[in-house]
C-alpha cells in the first residue's frame, strides 16, 4: 500500500480476539449515518484480519472460516464486514 491513509475498524469477539477490516478515513462515520453508501466505498477490501495473539500488535492474518463461524455465526465475508463496520470501533488512523 502506498502512503495512502487508512483506518482500522476493530470488533472484539466473544473469544476476546480482535477482528478488523481496513477502511477509508472518515467513511465509517458517513456510512453509519447513511447506509445507502455501498460498503465497497467504505472498506478497502472485504478481507477480515486478526492477530494470532489477539493483541493489537503482531502480524495480521486471515482467520479460518471455522473461526469466523464461531465468532460471527457465519463465514460470509459480506455479512462479517458489515457487522464489523456497524459494531466495531475505528482505531489507528495513519499508514497501515
Amino acid at each position: 500500500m502506498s502512503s495512502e491513509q487508512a483506518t482500522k475498524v476493530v470488533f472484539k469477539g466473544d473469544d476476546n480476539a480482535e477482528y478488523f477490516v481496513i477502511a477509508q478515513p472518515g467513511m465509517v462515520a458517513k456510512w453509519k449515518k447513511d447506509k445507502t453508501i455501498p460498503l465497497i466505498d467504505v472498506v478497502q477490501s472485504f478481507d477480515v484480519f486478526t492477530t494470532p495473539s489477539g493483541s493489537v500488535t503482531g502480524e495480521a492474518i486471515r482467520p479460518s472460516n471455522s473461526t469466523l463461524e464461531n465468532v460471527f455465526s457465519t463465514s460470509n465475508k459480506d455479512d462479517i464486514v458489515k457487522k464489523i463496520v456497524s459494531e466495531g470501533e475505528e482505531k489507528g488512523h495513519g499508514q497501515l
Side-chain angles (χ1 to χ4, degrees):
M1 188 180 312
S2 66
S3 62
E4 179 177 299
Q5 299 294 302
T7 187
K8 197 191 292 191
V9 183
V10 180
F11 175 87
K12 186 163 247 174
D14 290 338
D15 60 354
N16 283 327
E18 291 187 342
Y19 300 87
F20 61 93
V21 295
I22 307 302
Q24 304 290 348
M27 288 304 293
V28 173
K30 286 182 185 175
W31 182 83
K32 285 182 177 181
K33 291 178 186 163
D34 180 5
K35 298 272 191 334
T36 64
I37 297 170
L39 263 180
I40 193 68
D41 292 343
V42 178
V43 296
Q44 292 188 353
S45 74
F46 279 74
D47 289 323
V48 176
F49 299 98
T50 190
T51 51
S53 62
S55 70
V56 294
T57 59
E59 182 181 352
I61 61 166
R62 289 178 180 90
S64 68
N65 281 345
S66 63
T67 299
L68 294 174
E69 282 279 350
N70 289 337
V71 174
F72 296 98
S73 299
T74 183
S75 59
N76 181 301
K77 296 278 175 45
D78 293 351
D79 293 341
I80 293 168
V81 168
K82 187 172 187 176
K83 183 172 181 79
I84 291 172
V85 173
S86 294
E87 300 177 21
E89 178 184 345
E90 280 189 82
K91 295 182 179 179
H93 296 277
Q95 295 181 2
L96 299 177

